[in-house]
Amino acid sequence: MTDVREAYGLGGAPIGIAVIVLFAIVMARSHATYWAGRAVTRGAQQVHGGDSGPGWWRSTIERLERWTSTRAAQRGLDLVRRWGAVAVTLAYLTIGLQTAVFASAGLVKMRYLRFSLASIPGAIVWAIVWATVGFGAFWGALALFAASPWALLAVVVVLLMVVVWIVRHRLLRHAADVADDERADALD
């Protein structure tokens, strides 16, 4: 039977060390993103209150303000406004929405203690998943590449096709819902 630590490429290191390191990394990332959101709010107030500050600061704030009008940022803001701290906890389980939720928590000035407490369970789950399944997938892909780069390419292509199909299916369903809503509005 293969040792779990060897299977995940951890050598002799206990899996707990990997979880702790990943927990620290994800907490640092999420809290830095939260504070960046807070900085946008504060910086926007200062930039719009006058022309003080260096040019690089004003351009950074303006670029971040433009980001807040993107679809992902608006989705994150909507989730944080609706679900509050629960959105922060659950954001750790998503792909592509984490940054938007963490920055949105800062933008709406969620209390830092509330953000921190909501981050802990999500970060723990994230760290455990990546320390086990994530490393397993990475080392499995590396082993597959060593055995046959073409097999890895085939797996990646199949996964991409599945993702494209899912995204296309969701977009078509959303377009049909919008068309139905427009028809219903036209009848009113």
Side-chain angles (χ1 to χ4, degrees):
M1 181 172 183
T2 304
D3 183 36
V4 173
R5 291 177 294 198
E6 289 299 325
Y8 291 128
L10 297 173
I15 198 161
I17 298 294
V19 171
I20 290 168
V21 168
L22 288 170
F23 175 80
I25 289 169
V26 77
M27 286 293 279
R29 176 187 172 268
S30 62
H31 287 252
T33 307
Y34 168 85
W35 284 110
R38 291 292 292 257
V40 169
T41 304
R42 172 109 173 143
Q45 291 168 344
Q46 288 182 344
V47 166
H48 295 302
D51 288 335
S52 62
W56 64 268
W57 175 252
R58 286 193 308 273
S59 66
T60 300
I61 294 301
E62 289 168 2
R63 187 170 44 253
L64 288 170
E65 282 181 317
R66 282 192 303 276
W67 174 82
T68 62
S69 64
T70 64
R71 185 173 185 268
Q74 288 302 313
R75 192 168 172 204
L77 281 165
D78 291 344
L79 285 170
V80 170
R81 286 183 183 129
R82 182 173 182 184
W83 296 97
V86 173
V88 172
T89 302
L90 296 178
Y92 286 92
L93 303 175
T94 66
I95 296 174
L97 197 57
Q98 288 179 10
T99 302
V101 170
F102 302 150
S104 296
L107 286 169
V108 300
K109 296 183 177 181
M110 179 184 286
R111 288 186 18 231
Y112 184 64
L113 180 61
R114 178 174 290 183
F115 177 82
S116 296
L117 292 175
S119 294
I120 292 170
I124 289 171
V125 170
W126 184 93
I128 290 170
V129 167
W130 279 101
T132 55
V133 177
F135 281 158
F138 173 77
W139 291 114
L142 206 58
L144 184 58
F145 178 78
S148 171
W150 292 108
L152 178 62
L153 180 63
V155 168
V156 169
V157 167
V158 168
L159 288 174
L160 284 174
M161 288 172 51
V162 168
V163 168
V164 166
W165 181 83
I166 290 169
V167 169
R168 184 176 179 272
H169 180 67
R170 290 183 73 189
L171 288 173
L172 288 173
R173 189 175 63 210
H174 178 69
D177 291 345
V178 168
D180 289 343
D181 291 344
E182 288 175 356
R183 277 194 294 269
D185 289 344
L187 293 175
D188 289 339

